[in-house]
Amino acid sequence: MPYDHRNTARRTLALALAATGCCAVLAGCGASQASHPAGKSGESPRSQETRETPGESATAPPTPLPSTPQPGRPLAGRTVVIDPGHNPGNFRHSSEINQKVNIGTNRKECDTTGTSTNAGYTEASFTLDVSHRLRDLLAARGATVVLTHDADRPWGPCIDERARIGNEARADAVVSVHADGSAVGHRGFHVILPAQVREGSADTTKIVGPSRELGERIADRFARATGTAPSNYLGSGTGLDVRDDLGGLNLSTVPKVFVECGNMRDPKDAQLLTSAAWRQKAAQGIADGIATYLKG
């Protein structure tokens, strides 16, 4: 759920509520600024309806990252950075994540808490689970996989650091995994692409073209794997949304996209997002899209 800098007051309120144990129900996530305001929600216990059966944990157990590509596999020699949107601990560190960082064109909050379903399944839990599944699928094809975080730090990383991790890894592709927080009735996935930005320390000139190709490949394979349709509220049916206000894209020097897998605030989409089987399909679709982009 990439955030909108014009909604600082909403984020501050949500974080304050989360810190006192309340669950703030605020709309908005990764949609463009014109479509709906961003909303943030603190982490709350999952309801009985969204608990999974034994063996279907919301977050897969961490496994070691492959240190070197494995010869003979289609993605051997390729590096992919996976960026799990938000950190489960963010809601306990409101002062830290509210500090502003340079995103090239202006300054923006370090990060947000992300959204959640009405039953309390958080975006941070969702993104980490899908990212683990995606990592395993890519590693099996021989890719070297780097996670920007693995819930192994109290909060963050900030958006500028997330971009820097991909740049320093000289990644062949970077995918930031998210889920949206829009209005009820807004359904489907969309992929956020970097706009042409050349201002301050931001220059996306070299990555706009390859990022679009990466995004198109992921959108196609995601739809095939999950059976879900592109967003009915963004992208005019293409499942693609171009934005110039996200530091994670503006500061990237390597091909990068955000994948909003569905809308957590819509009950029908939420039913999919809370299913471990569906999350595996989502990871498969993203992995297939990355592989076709890398020609692996």
Side-chain angles (χ1 to χ4, degrees), residues 139-162:
R141 301 186 191 198
T144 297
V145 182
V146 177
L147 294 178
T148 60
H149 78 92
D150 200 4
D152 50 355
R153 52 193 293 171
W155 54 274
C158 295
I159 51 179
D160 57 339
E161 183 182 353
R162 289 172 186 264

mmCIF file of all heavy atoms in Angstrom, residues 139-162:
data_model
loop_
_atom_site.group_PDB
_atom_site.id
_atom_site.type_symbol
_atom_site.label_atom_id
_atom_site.label_comp_id
_atom_site.label_asym_id
_atom_site.label_seq_id
_atom_site.Cartn_x
_atom_site.Cartn_y
_atom_site.Cartn_z
ATOM 1 N N ALA A 139 14.055 -18.775 -6.334
ATOM 2 C CA ALA A 139 15.283 -19.494 -5.980
ATOM 3 C C ALA A 139 15.313 -20.862 -6.630
ATOM 4 O O ALA A 139 16.373 -21.343 -7.053
ATOM 5 C CB ALA A 139 15.393 -19.621 -4.463
ATOM 6 N N ALA A 140 14.152 -21.502 -6.746
ATOM 7 C CA ALA A 140 14.087 -22.815 -7.387
ATOM 8 C C ALA A 140 14.455 -22.736 -8.863
ATOM 9 O O ALA A 140 14.863 -23.735 -9.468
ATOM 10 C CB ALA A 140 12.684 -23.394 -7.231
ATOM 11 N N ARG A 141 14.328 -21.548 -9.447
ATOM 12 C CA ARG A 141 14.706 -21.360 -10.863
ATOM 13 C C ARG A 141 16.137 -20.859 -10.991
ATOM 14 O O ARG A 141 16.587 -20.546 -12.089
ATOM 15 C CB ARG A 141 13.759 -20.367 -11.533
ATOM 16 C CG ARG A 141 12.303 -20.795 -11.496
ATOM 17 C CD ARG A 141 11.420 -19.855 -12.284
ATOM 18 N NE ARG A 141 10.001 -20.115 -12.035
ATOM 19 C CZ ARG A 141 9.016 -19.695 -12.816
ATOM 20 N NH1 ARG A 141 9.279 -19.008 -13.907
ATOM 21 N NH2 ARG A 141 7.766 -19.955 -12.508
ATOM 22 N N GLY A 142 16.830 -20.777 -9.857
ATOM 23 C CA GLY A 142 18.243 -20.420 -9.892
ATOM 24 C C GLY A 142 18.560 -18.977 -9.613
ATOM 25 O O GLY A 142 19.734 -18.588 -9.615
ATOM 26 N N ALA A 143 17.559 -18.134 -9.366
ATOM 27 C CA ALA A 143 17.807 -16.713 -9.141
ATOM 28 C C ALA A 143 18.449 -16.476 -7.778
ATOM 29 O O ALA A 143 18.210 -17.221 -6.817
ATOM 30 C CB ALA A 143 16.510 -15.924 -9.231
ATOM 31 N N THR A 144 19.263 -15.453 -7.693
ATOM 32 C CA THR A 144 19.728 -14.948 -6.415
ATOM 33 C C THR A 144 18.677 -13.957 -5.933
ATOM 34 O O THR A 144 18.347 -13.006 -6.642
ATOM 35 C CB THR A 144 21.085 -14.243 -6.553
ATOM 36 O OG1 THR A 144 22.060 -15.193 -6.994
ATOM 37 C CG2 THR A 144 21.528 -13.639 -5.233
ATOM 38 N N VAL A 145 18.130 -14.187 -4.749
ATOM 39 C CA VAL A 145 17.005 -13.391 -4.252
ATOM 40 C C VAL A 145 17.420 -12.617 -3.007
ATOM 41 O O VAL A 145 18.027 -13.168 -2.087
ATOM 42 C CB VAL A 145 15.786 -14.278 -3.928
ATOM 43 C CG1 VAL A 145 14.610 -13.430 -3.458
ATOM 44 C CG2 VAL A 145 15.386 -15.099 -5.155
ATOM 45 N N VAL A 146 17.076 -11.343 -2.989
ATOM 46 C CA VAL A 146 17.346 -10.474 -1.847
ATOM 47 C C VAL A 146 16.017 -9.893 -1.362
ATOM 48 O O VAL A 146 15.223 -9.396 -2.165
ATOM 49 C CB VAL A 146 18.300 -9.322 -2.236
ATOM 50 C CG1 VAL A 146 18.507 -8.367 -1.054
ATOM 51 C CG2 VAL A 146 19.630 -9.865 -2.734
ATOM 52 N N LEU A 147 15.760 -9.968 -0.062
ATOM 53 C CA LEU A 147 14.600 -9.319 0.539
ATOM 54 C C LEU A 147 15.040 -7.999 1.168
ATOM 55 O O LEU A 147 16.094 -7.946 1.813
ATOM 56 C CB LEU A 147 13.969 -10.195 1.621
ATOM 57 C CG LEU A 147 13.314 -11.512 1.191
ATOM 58 C CD1 LEU A 147 12.793 -12.252 2.420
ATOM 59 C CD2 LEU A 147 12.188 -11.272 0.212
ATOM 60 N N THR A 148 14.252 -6.942 0.993
ATOM 61 C CA THR A 148 14.598 -5.666 1.616
ATOM 62 C C THR A 148 14.474 -5.755 3.132
ATOM 63 O O THR A 148 15.140 -5.021 3.859
ATOM 64 C CB THR A 148 13.704 -4.526 1.106
ATOM 65 O OG1 THR A 148 12.337 -4.826 1.406
ATOM 66 C CG2 THR A 148 13.883 -4.325 -0.392
ATOM 67 N N HIS A 149 13.614 -6.636 3.618
ATOM 68 C CA HIS A 149 13.515 -6.939 5.046
ATOM 69 C C HIS A 149 12.767 -8.254 5.195
ATOM 70 O O HIS A 149 12.093 -8.710 4.276
ATOM 71 C CB HIS A 149 12.803 -5.827 5.819
ATOM 72 C CG HIS A 149 11.313 -5.843 5.667
ATOM 73 N ND1 HIS A 149 10.475 -6.512 6.543
ATOM 74 C CD2 HIS A 149 10.502 -5.294 4.725
ATOM 75 C CE1 HIS A 149 9.223 -6.354 6.157
ATOM 76 N NE2 HIS A 149 9.208 -5.632 5.059
ATOM 77 N N ASP A 150 12.895 -8.862 6.351
ATOM 78 C CA ASP A 150 12.215 -10.129 6.620
ATOM 79 C C ASP A 150 11.583 -10.091 8.008
ATOM 80 O O ASP A 150 11.620 -11.079 8.738
ATOM 81 C CB ASP A 150 13.204 -11.289 6.508
ATOM 82 C CG ASP A 150 12.508 -12.628 6.292
ATOM 83 O OD1 ASP A 150 11.264 -12.651 6.149
ATOM 84 O OD2 ASP A 150 13.209 -13.664 6.283
ATOM 85 N N ALA A 151 11.018 -8.911 8.355
ATOM 86 C CA ALA A 151 10.478 -8.683 9.701
ATOM 87 C C ALA A 151 11.559 -8.952 10.748
ATOM 88 O O ALA A 151 11.271 -9.330 11.877
ATOM 89 C CB ALA A 151 9.249 -9.549 9.959
ATOM 90 N N ASP A 152 12.799 -8.742 10.354
ATOM 91 C CA ASP A 152 13.942 -8.997 11.220
ATOM 92 C C ASP A 152 14.480 -7.711 11.838
ATOM 93 O O ASP A 152 15.563 -7.688 12.398
ATOM 94 C CB ASP A 152 15.050 -9.709 10.442
ATOM 95 C CG ASP A 152 15.392 -9.018 9.119
ATOM 96 O OD1 ASP A 152 14.696 -8.038 8.759
ATOM 97 O OD2 ASP A 152 16.337 -9.456 8.454
ATOM 98 N N ARG A 153 13.710 -6.655 11.725
ATOM 99 C CA ARG A 153 14.063 -5.379 12.317
ATOM 100 C C ARG A 153 12.798 -4.779 12.914
ATOM 101 O O ARG A 153 11.694 -5.101 12.477
ATOM 102 C CB ARG A 153 14.696 -4.441 11.290
ATOM 103 C CG ARG A 153 13.880 -4.274 10.037
ATOM 104 C CD ARG A 153 14.653 -3.605 8.907
ATOM 105 N NE ARG A 153 14.975 -2.224 9.219
ATOM 106 C CZ ARG A 153 15.796 -1.480 8.472
ATOM 107 N NH1 ARG A 153 16.374 -2.001 7.399
ATOM 108 N NH2 ARG A 153 16.042 -0.227 8.791
ATOM 109 N N PRO A 154 12.894 -3.920 13.911
ATOM 110 C CA PRO A 154 11.702 -3.426 14.607
ATOM 111 C C PRO A 154 10.745 -2.646 13.718
ATOM 112 O O PRO A 154 9.534 -2.696 13.899
ATOM 113 C CB PRO A 154 12.279 -2.524 15.709
ATOM 114 C CG PRO A 154 13.676 -2.980 15.899
ATOM 115 C CD PRO A 154 14.136 -3.437 14.548
ATOM 116 N N TRP A 155 11.264 -1.924 12.731
ATOM 117 C CA TRP A 155 10.433 -1.118 11.841
ATOM 118 C C TRP A 155 11.220 -0.864 10.552
ATOM 119 O O TRP A 155 12.402 -1.145 10.460
ATOM 120 C CB TRP A 155 10.057 0.220 12.495
ATOM 121 C CG TRP A 155 11.236 1.012 12.979
ATOM 122 C CD1 TRP A 155 11.867 0.898 14.181
ATOM 123 C CD2 TRP A 155 11.957 2.018 12.253
ATOM 124 N NE1 TRP A 155 12.929 1.772 14.258
ATOM 125 C CE2 TRP A 155 13.001 2.477 13.095
ATOM 126 C CE3 TRP A 155 11.824 2.593 10.989
ATOM 127 C CZ2 TRP A 155 13.896 3.470 12.705
ATOM 128 C CZ3 TRP A 155 12.710 3.584 10.601
ATOM 129 C CH2 TRP A 155 13.739 4.009 11.458
ATOM 130 N N GLY A 156 10.513 -0.340 9.547
ATOM 131 C CA GLY A 156 11.172 -0.011 8.280
ATOM 132 C C GLY A 156 11.555 -1.245 7.470
ATOM 133 O O GLY A 156 11.049 -2.337 7.732
ATOM 134 N N PRO A 157 12.436 -1.057 6.488
ATOM 135 C CA PRO A 157 13.234 0.123 6.186
ATOM 136 C C PRO A 157 12.415 1.251 5.551
ATOM 137 O O PRO A 157 11.320 1.030 5.041
ATOM 138 C CB PRO A 157 14.277 -0.408 5.199
ATOM 139 C CG PRO A 157 13.599 -1.558 4.521
ATOM 140 C CD PRO A 157 12.722 -2.177 5.569
ATOM 141 N N CYS A 158 12.978 2.448 5.593
ATOM 142 C CA CYS A 158 12.334 3.596 4.964
ATOM 143 C C CYS A 158 12.347 3.424 3.448
ATOM 144 O O CYS A 158 13.107 2.623 2.898
ATOM 145 C CB CYS A 158 13.070 4.886 5.335
ATOM 146 S SG CYS A 158 13.006 5.309 7.084
ATOM 147 N N ILE A 159 11.506 4.202 2.783
ATOM 148 C CA ILE A 159 11.354 4.038 1.336
ATOM 149 C C ILE A 159 12.636 4.328 0.571
ATOM 150 O O ILE A 159 12.903 3.693 -0.463
ATOM 151 C CB ILE A 159 10.207 4.910 0.799
ATOM 152 C CG1 ILE A 159 10.359 6.360 1.265
ATOM 153 C CG2 ILE A 159 8.867 4.357 1.251
ATOM 154 C CD1 ILE A 159 9.276 7.292 0.751
ATOM 155 N N ASP A 160 13.449 5.270 1.058
ATOM 156 C CA ASP A 160 14.694 5.554 0.352
ATOM 157 C C ASP A 160 15.681 4.396 0.493
ATOM 158 O O ASP A 160 16.396 4.052 -0.461
ATOM 159 C CB ASP A 160 15.312 6.862 0.836
ATOM 160 C CG ASP A 160 15.582 6.891 2.337
ATOM 161 O OD1 ASP A 160 14.956 6.092 3.080
ATOM 162 O OD2 ASP A 160 16.413 7.716 2.776
ATOM 163 N N GLU A 161 15.686 3.755 1.667
ATOM 164 C CA GLU A 161 16.566 2.611 1.863
ATOM 165 C C GLU A 161 16.100 1.421 1.034
ATOM 166 O O GLU A 161 16.921 0.656 0.501
ATOM 167 C CB GLU A 161 16.641 2.223 3.336
ATOM 168 C CG GLU A 161 17.607 1.087 3.611
ATOM 169 C CD GLU A 161 17.660 0.671 5.069
ATOM 170 O OE1 GLU A 161 17.045 1.348 5.914
ATOM 171 O OE2 GLU A 161 18.312 -0.354 5.362
ATOM 172 N N ARG A 162 14.804 1.237 0.919
ATOM 173 C CA ARG A 162 14.274 0.143 0.094
ATOM 174 C C ARG A 162 14.770 0.278 -1.347
ATOM 175 O O ARG A 162 15.179 -0.697 -1.972
ATOM 176 C CB ARG A 162 12.748 0.139 0.145
ATOM 177 C CG ARG A 162 12.165 -0.300 1.483
ATOM 178 C CD ARG A 162 10.669 -0.088 1.534
ATOM 179 N NE ARG A 162 10.111 -0.373 2.849
ATOM 180 C CZ ARG A 162 9.562 -1.517 3.208
ATOM 181 N NH1 ARG A 162 9.492 -2.511 2.336
ATOM 182 N NH2 ARG A 162 9.073 -1.690 4.419
#
